[in-house]
Amino acid sequence: MTALGPRPGPRTERLALPGVLSPEQVLSTVEGIAAVQHADGAIPWFRGHHLDPWDHIEAAMALDAAGEHERATAAYHWLVRHQNPDGSWYAAYPDTPDGVAAADPTDRGRESNFCAYVAVGAWHHYLSTGDDAFLDGIWPTVFAAVEFVLGMQQSGGQIGWRRGADGTIDSDALLTGSSSVYQALRCALAIAEHREEPQPDWELSAGLLGHAIRHHPERFLDKRRYSMDWYYPVLGGALTGAAAKERIEEGWDRFVVPGLGVRCVSPNPWVTGGESCELALALWAMGESDHAVDILRWIQRPLRAEDGMYWTGYVFEDDAVWPEERTTWTAGSLLLAVAALGGDEATTAVFGGEGLPRGLDSDCCG
């Protein structure tokens, strides 16, 4: 892996956002993520913690947004090498002194949204680099992952959240996870279209899933206390326009703490960086960029560490960061949010969704 340059370049200057991040601050955040990545491409939460596929991909996407394409490529090659024969990845792999021990996962469950997210990352990487050889090489990995995930789709369109270590599907569906899968299916369909390999079954599945998210909350576990369940149908692209605006306005006072960020769980006095940055991305996608910038500006004081990384959360009643960990995925979500606000084409494509297929329209169905 090549070292990052000592001073900001065009990519980090492009990610700078007045009032939020300077080019120098962007660079220190990118360097912070890069310092955690192993030589084989693995990106754990932080050194000594675990790796999960979803957060690994989020960090890789941030590296691409910052122009660190070699590092991002290595991250995707790690996924290709460690995909299970059924198309899945395990939920957690330990980070040991010798690196991420992929052969000895700490959680042998396989979560649907963790596995699907490779399609988002792969399409983002292709749009960032124009590397057709990469897309050709990762297509079998994406195909197998999507097939694995759709094997957990229920008759109502929702996606079962997990397949246990014994192979049993937990048919309960999470709105957050299914919304993330919806975004991933659209990216997978975009890859298939680009390769001129249509996948009509995926189109039907995406349509059914989008319909369930928009119209059938009863098909998902009740997690309304969690802010992710509030904004993820917007972030994942299932809700747009007036429906998205109505949903965000409905939960704003419950989850947003002015001057600090977004609660992870209501009414707990705990704002978290990942949720705050993801809400900013959702707001940007709705055309509410001013509010998105506000959120990103608010979290800088309580959550940005001296090394440019971000604490996971802040308990404002105690004026204390908690837990005391600086995670690559929190920093990654911040960089992706500023990339979208700055007009980075790959990031706006996968999170704005205007050019992504929506699948077959199922809104006429019950």
Side-chain angles (χ1 to χ4, degrees), residues 131-173:
D131 187 345
D132 283 299
F134 166 83
L135 202 63
D136 290 342
I138 204 168
W139 170 244
T141 299
V142 171
F143 185 91
V146 171
E147 289 290 297
F148 171 80
V149 170
L150 292 182
M152 292 188 278
Q153 187 166 34
Q154 308 301 301
S155 60
Q158 70 275 26
I159 306 291
W161 82 279
R162 177 180 171 98
R163 189 183 287 270
D166 63 355
T168 303
I169 296 175
D170 188 330
S171 60
D172 288 333

Side-chain angles (χ1 to χ4, degrees), residues 269-271 301-303 311 313-324:
W270 182 43
V271 295
R301 182 192 65 79
L303 295 181
W311 300 104
Y314 173 73
V315 182
F316 49 85
E317 283 190 353
D318 298 333
D319 188 25
V321 295
W322 183 85
E324 292 190 12

Side-chain angles (χ1 to χ4, degrees), residues 179-340:
S179 296
S180 179
V181 170
Y182 180 72
Q183 180 193 19
L185 286 177
R186 296 179 68 198
C187 289
L189 285 167
I191 297 172
E193 283 190 5
H194 180 78
R195 294 178 53 80
E196 298 183 350
E197 295 187 32
Q199 303 294 325
D201 289 346
W202 295 4
E203 293 181 31
L204 177 59
S205 292
L208 290 171
L209 177 56
H211 177 81
I213 293 168
R214 287 188 290 270
H215 300 297
H216 291 283
E218 76 281 359
R219 294 178 184 172
F220 302 92
L221 293 175
D222 186 353
K223 300 287 185 179
R224 285 174 291 180
R225 295 178 58 232
Y226 293 83
S227 61
M228 286 193 296
D229 260 33
W230 163 54
Y231 64 74
Y232 239 96
V234 179
L235 180 62
L239 289 184
T240 59
K245 183 176 177 63
E246 180 180 355
R247 186 175 186 89
I248 294 302
E249 288 180 347
E250 181 276 328
W252 188 268
D253 291 338
R254 189 164 70 253
F255 290 112
V256 175
V257 183
L260 290 177
V262 178
R263 298 177 196 262
C264 179
V265 184
S266 177
N268 296 2
W270 182 43
V271 295
T272 46
E275 280 77 358
S276 297
C277 296
E278 288 181 337
L279 176 62
L281 268 170
L283 291 167
W284 164 81
M286 293 167 52
E288 300 284 347
S289 293
D290 289 347
H291 289 313
V293 172
D294 286 341
I295 297 287
L296 297 181
R297 187 178 69 250
W298 292 345
I299 67 171
Q300 299 305 312
R301 182 192 65 79
L303 295 181
R304 185 174 176 88
E306 291 183 1
D307 64 357
M309 295 296 280
Y310 285 79
W311 300 104
T312 297
Y314 173 73
V315 182
F316 49 85
E317 283 190 353
D318 298 333
D319 188 25
V321 295
W322 183 85
E324 292 190 12
E325 58 185 33
R326 301 185 302 279
T327 45
T328 52
W329 51 267
T330 301
S333 67
L334 182 281
L335 292 177
L336 289 171
V338 298

Side-chain angles (χ1 to χ4, degrees), residues 13-225:
E13 290 174 0
R14 195 181 309 167
L15 292 182
L17 187 62
V20 178
L21 291 179
S22 68
E24 293 77 15
Q25 288 174 320
V26 172
L27 183 64
S28 65
T29 300
V30 177
E31 287 179 326
I33 296 173
V36 176
Q37 186 176 28
H38 288 282
D40 67 352
I43 311 175
W45 283 23
F46 51 88
R47 285 294 177 95
H49 206 272
H50 76 272
L51 176 153
D52 75 67
W54 197 101
D55 291 309
H56 168 88
I57 294 165
E58 187 85 341
M61 291 170 65
L63 291 172
D64 262 330
E68 287 296 316
H69 303 312
E70 182 181 347
R71 290 185 177 278
T73 299
Y76 292 114
H77 286 171
W78 188 93
L79 289 170
V80 171
R81 291 194 303 273
H82 298 297
Q83 188 175 36
N84 293 322
D86 63 3
S88 70
W89 291 271
Y90 294 120
Y93 301 86
D95 186 23
T96 69
D98 297 324
V100 174
D104 188 24
T106 53
D107 184 345
R108 289 184 175 271
R110 289 152 290 164
E111 299 188 15
S112 52
N113 65 304
F114 281 19
C115 298
Y117 207 51
V118 67
V120 180
W123 189 232
H124 182 264
H125 184 73
Y126 173 73
L127 294 175
S128 295
T129 63
D131 187 345
D132 283 299
F134 166 83
L135 202 63
D136 290 342
I138 204 168
W139 170 244
T141 299
V142 171
F143 185 91
V146 171
E147 289 290 297
F148 171 80
V149 170
L150 292 182
M152 292 188 278
Q153 187 166 34
Q154 308 301 301
S155 60
Q158 70 275 26
I159 306 291
W161 82 279
R162 177 180 171 98
R163 189 183 287 270
D166 63 355
T168 303
I169 296 175
D170 188 330
S171 60
D172 288 333
L174 300 173
L175 182 59
T176 294
S178 285
S179 296
S180 179
V181 170
Y182 180 72
Q183 180 193 19
L185 286 177
R186 296 179 68 198
C187 289
L189 285 167
I191 297 172
E193 283 190 5
H194 180 78
R195 294 178 53 80
E196 298 183 350
E197 295 187 32
Q199 303 294 325
D201 289 346
W202 295 4
E203 293 181 31
L204 177 59
S205 292
L208 290 171
L209 177 56
H211 177 81
I213 293 168
R214 287 188 290 270
H215 300 297
H216 291 283
E218 76 281 359
R219 294 178 184 172
F220 302 92
L221 293 175
D222 186 353
K223 300 287 185 179
R224 285 174 291 180
R225 295 178 58 232

